[in-house]
Amino acid sequence: MIKCNVTMCGTISRVATVRTNSENKVFTAFAVNCVVPAKSGINKTVEISVAKDGEDNELKNCALGQRVNVSGTLTFKKRGDNLYFNLSASEVTLSASNEDSIKGEMHFRGKTGKIIEEKTDKKGKEFLQFSGFSAEKVNDGFEYLWVRFFGFDCKREEWLQPQTGIEVKGDMELSVYNDKLNLSCKIAEMSAYVKPPYTPNN
C-alpha cells in the first residue's frame, strides 16, 4: 500500500465531466499535467487523473490549460512499464503559479529489498538508504512498485533486515532519472509491519 497526502500544482489537460461510480455515487473527473523535474536527463510530464466527490460546477467551467492547485490523496497503479497516478481531491483552487509541483507525505506498507545500506554523507553524518516495494495482485500475477528510502535522523533498528515487512511515513519526492520516474521518501517514522492473518468471513 502506498498513499500520499499531497498538494499538487499543474495544468488542466482534460476538462471536467460528471460521472457515476459502481455504487451510483456522483463525482467530477478531470486530469492535470504536472512536470516532474529530472535529476539526470530531461524533465518528464505526467498526467494525473483527478476525481472529486459530487458535482462541482466550478470545475466544469475550468478550461484546458487552466492552472490549478489540487489537494488530496494520491495513489499509484503500475502496469508493466507504465505508472498511473490517481488523485482523490478534497480541494481544488485556481493557481497563479507557473511552477509545477507535487509535495506531501507518503504512507507506505510493504517489504524492504535485498540491500540496506548505512552510509555517511560529506559532512560525516550517518544515514540509512534502502529500497522497498509494495505489491498489488493483478490477474494471476503481481505488480511491484519500488520506493527509495532515506533515513537521516534514524539509526538502524535490529528488526530492519532485507525482505522484511515495513511501515514508513515521511516526505514524498517524485523525480526523473535517465527518463525513468523515481519515487522516494525521506523517513519521519518507521516500524516493522506484520500483515494480519487472513480471516475469511463466516
Side-chain angles (χ1 to χ4, degrees):
M1 178 213 74
I2 303 175
K3 287 184 178 180
C4 303
N5 292 321
V6 303
T7 298
M8 172 195 58
C9 183
T11 304
I12 291 179
S13 59
R14 191 169 69 238
V15 294
T17 56
V18 177
R19 300 180 186 174
T20 305
N21 66 16
S22 58
E23 298 172 347
N24 288 324
K25 290 183 179 178
V26 173
F27 66 97
T28 304
F30 61 105
V32 175
N33 276 353
C34 186
V35 176
V36 178
K39 292 188 174 181
S40 174
I42 303 170
N43 294 347
K44 199 176 190 74
T45 300
V46 297
E47 185 175 75
I48 299 169
S49 298
V50 184
K52 188 171 185 290
D53 287 345
E55 183 174 352
D56 193 316
N57 290 317
E58 289 186 13
L59 276 176
K60 288 194 292 184
N61 293 328
C62 290
L64 284 176
Q66 186 91 53
R67 298 285 296 169
V68 288
N69 291 317
V70 185
S71 298
T73 302
L74 179 66
T75 56
F76 308 90
K77 185 169 72 173
K78 190 170 183 293
R79 296 294 182 269
D81 293 331
N82 297 318
L83 183 60
Y84 299 96
F85 300 79
N86 297 295
L87 181 52
S88 177
S90 56
E91 185 179 9
V92 182
T93 58
L94 297 181
S95 175
S97 172
N98 289 320
E99 184 178 346
D100 287 5
S101 63
I102 306 175
K103 297 177 181 177
E105 182 186 74
M106 176 185 292
H107 185 187
F108 172 95
R109 281 186 195 146
K111 276 191 173 182
T112 56
K114 294 181 179 179
I115 300 173
I116 296 169
E117 297 179 288
E118 298 174 75
K119 293 188 169 185
T120 304
D121 65 16
K122 293 178 181 177
K123 296 181 180 179
K125 192 173 182 181
E126 296 178 349
F127 68 97
L128 290 174
Q129 180 179 318
F130 60 93
S131 294
F133 65 88
S134 176
E136 179 191 1
K137 185 167 177 56
V138 179
N139 299 324
D140 294 329
F142 288 89
E143 291 282 359
Y144 300 94
L145 180 55
W146 287 86
V147 178
R148 295 182 70 194
F149 293 100
F150 299 90
F152 294 100
D153 296 309
C154 54
K155 290 194 173 182
R156 182 174 177 177
E157 302 284 349
E158 192 173 327
W159 62 263
L160 184 58
Q161 299 295 331
Q163 298 180 319
T164 296
I166 190 172
E167 183 164 7
V168 181
K169 290 182 180 178
D171 293 336
M172 181 204 83
E173 182 184 22
L174 190 63
S175 60
V176 177
Y177 189 82
N178 289 342
D179 203 41
K180 286 190 175 181
L181 287 167
N182 283 318
L183 193 56
S184 59
C185 177
K186 182 180 176 183
I187 299 167
E189 300 175 32
M190 177 171 59
S191 60
Y193 176 71
V194 178
K195 191 174 182 180
Y198 175 67
T199 52
N201 294 326
N202 293 328

